Amino acid sequence: MSYPPPASPPGPVPPGMAQGPVPPNPAPQGPVPPNPAPPGPVPPNPAPPAGVVTQDRRSNLRRVLVLTGVGVVIAGCAIAMLLILGFSIGVQALLVGLVAAILPVPVLVACFLWLDRYEPEPPWFLAIAFGWGACPATLTALGVNTLGSWVFDQVGLPKTLVAVTVAPVIEELMKALGPILLLLLSRREFSGITDGIVYCGLSAVGFAMVENILYLGGHGFAAGKQEYGPASGLYALFAIFLARILFTGFAHPLFTSMTGVGLGVAARSAERRVRWAAPIAGLLLAMILHGTWNLMSLLAVDQEQPFIMLYGYVGLMMPIFLGMVGLAIWLRAWEGRLTERILPQYVRAGWLTPPEVAALGSLGRRHSARRWARRVAGDAGLRAMRDFQAAATRLALLRDGLQRGLDSKPGQLAQAVAEERRLIEAIAAYRRVFVGRDPQAPIALWDGSRYHLTFPDGVRRSVDAPAEPVVPLPVVMAPSPWGYRR
């Protein structure tokens, strides 16, 4: 199935650096880059077929119903966990453990949100990922681990083996189920490995928070208070806080991020085998790392050799953690690089200008563009530029997915066409908020090939696009695969 050829843009294109409406009926300029995808961007006219609109509405309704059901399940599991912890460790220990366990959560959540700056995920999806890890995952893992301890005791095996054989499997599986559900509901919200790490990391943070309530409040404060009094309880609480949060608070997010890498790879692959193999491989690696971590702890206690834990911490876990941090930081800029690689197609079709694409390539450039938009159009311009950048990033992700063959079925392809149309129209609408408002910039028109500038003497001249487009903050452009000039 092929796309219709690019059509003339219906409205203004450039954001102040090149301002004003595009001349009517610009012809498509030059050949489209050699990709296995359809030959070019889809115009916003005519309106999408009625069948596509109906299918979109049904899909959205189904998604809303499923997410609502998941929210109800999370709320029910949250109530159940509060009751279980309250009866098992006491209300006072529950409150103390809850306060202590919540302290690191904002920092960890902020770290994952920092990774998700280019194309932020829907807040509802992020909340569901966190809530799933905190409630259904912990409730199920607690039940299975308790059952495993009973079974091991019945057959004469040490209960401590549950931490090595049962806990890593059920905990990593349950933490991953929430992000997997989100992937199945809306694959487009997984734009790559970074999103997989963010969703799985938030699920792990929620899981660790509730688990820490049990350790801090029950094994720490309640146990110390019962044996030696409140002062000893606080001392035990502080000791466990240092060990589990300050030194090893990255453990659960690190394990589950392996599953996130697998989900991110699967989300951007058109190969059926990769879509199955990558998440399974990531989940197995998460289980292995989790089991190894627990095994080191057990050996250190059983052999009364704390150096076993220290050697494992320094020699194994810290290198893996630092490697994952480095990978996440490198992947963080992937969406910016993607816009520079994909969006020149829309430049040649006359939908975007070279400066717009240039201003999307890094977070520094995006921030500069937002400051410029706020200067020329106030807070409304700032919001419009922020939305413009998000829509342009989603457009690049959508086009990249089409070129990868992610939407191969006719129905999926029709939905992608409609989504591309909506994004182009949204970009044009956001642009109109700040276009033509910069008194320091000349009136300019972009036709997909050249600028048509109106100089102070009133004469309009045609000017080729410079090799390094001017953006609100001058930068040196990285080489484009197809170039901005023809």
Side-chain angles (χ1 to χ4, degrees), residues 380-455:
L382 174 64
R383 291 191 297 269
M385 178 61 78
R386 184 185 294 116
D387 293 336
F388 174 93
Q389 292 170 346
T393 305
R394 292 186 68 87
L395 184 63
L397 290 167
L398 177 64
R399 170 58 56 171
D400 178 67
L402 289 169
Q403 295 179 180
R404 291 172 181 267
L406 301 184
D407 298 297
S408 56
K409 297 180 180 179
Q412 294 175 337
L413 199 55
Q415 289 184 7
V417 171
E419 177 66 14
E420 187 177 41
R421 181 181 294 113
R422 285 192 292 267
L423 287 172
I424 291 175
E425 291 175 341
I427 287 172
Y430 296 138
R431 182 188 292 118
R432 283 192 288 269
V433 177
F434 47 76
V435 70
R437 295 179 180 270
D438 190 350
Q440 301 177 8
I443 301 299
L445 306 173
W446 171 256
D447 64 1
S449 176
R450 311 182 76 193
Y451 289 105
H452 304 277
L453 300 174
T454 302
F455 286 81

Side-chain angles (χ1 to χ4, degrees), residues 237-284:
L237 171 69
F238 181 72
I240 294 178
F241 185 90
L242 289 177
R244 287 191 60 86
I245 294 179
L246 292 186
F247 291 106
T248 64
F250 64 86
H252 273 294
L254 175 63
F255 304 149
T256 315
S257 66
M258 304 301 167
T259 307
V261 172
L263 292 178
V265 171
R268 303 302 294 179
S269 175
E271 292 289 336
R272 185 178 182 88
R273 288 173 296 182
V274 174
R275 289 184 175 183
W276 282 98
I280 292 175
L283 182 59
L284 290 176

Side-chain angles (χ1 to χ4, degrees), residues 32-41 191 268 334-349 351-353 356-358 360-361 366 391-405 420 423 477 479-484:
V32 174
N35 287 295
S191 59
R268 303 302 294 179
W334 176 80
E335 290 174 351
R337 297 191 295 268
L338 180 71
T339 58
E340 288 189 313
R341 178 169 60 87
I342 296 295
L343 292 183
Q345 299 179 48
Y346 295 88
V347 172
R348 281 187 290 277
W351 293 105
L352 294 170
T353 67
E356 288 179 319
V357 176
L360 292 167
R366 294 186 179 210
T393 305
R394 292 186 68 87
L395 184 63
L397 290 167
L398 177 64
R399 170 58 56 171
D400 178 67
L402 289 169
Q403 295 179 180
R404 291 172 181 267
E420 187 177 41
L423 287 172
M477 288 294 297
S480 173
W482 308 303
Y484 290 109

Side-chain angles (χ1 to χ4, degrees), residues 19-102:
Q19 303 169 6
V22 175
N25 302 320
Q29 300 291 328
V32 174
N35 287 295
V42 177
N45 296 304
V52 174
V53 176
T54 302
Q55 187 174 4
D56 282 349
R57 289 175 179 173
R58 291 177 179 175
S59 178
N60 291 335
L61 178 60
R62 182 168 59 251
R63 186 181 298 113
V64 169
L65 291 176
V66 173
L67 291 177
T68 301
V70 172
V72 172
V73 171
I74 291 175
C77 292
I79 295 174
M81 282 301 301
L82 287 175
L83 293 175
I84 291 173
L85 292 175
F87 279 109
S88 61
I89 66 176
V91 176
Q92 185 182 35
L94 171 62
L95 295 176
V96 172
L98 179 62
V99 172
I102 287 178

Side-chain angles (χ1 to χ4, degrees), residues 66-67 70 73-74 77 125 128-141 144 168-186 190 196 199-204 207 256-260 263 276 279-280 282-283 286-287:
V66 173
L67 291 177
V70 172
V73 171
I74 291 175
C77 292
F125 277 41
I128 285 177
F130 180 88
W132 180 272
C135 303
T138 53
L139 181 62
T140 305
V144 173
V169 175
I170 187 60
E171 291 180 8
E172 293 306 322
L173 178 61
M174 289 306 302
K175 284 186 288 183
L177 280 183
I180 290 174
L181 177 62
L182 295 177
L183 175 61
L184 295 176
L185 283 176
S186 184
F190 275 73
Y199 283 121
C200 287
L202 289 177
S203 178
F207 186 96
T256 315
S257 66
M258 304 301 167
T259 307
L263 292 178
W276 282 98
I280 292 175
L283 182 59
M287 293 176 179

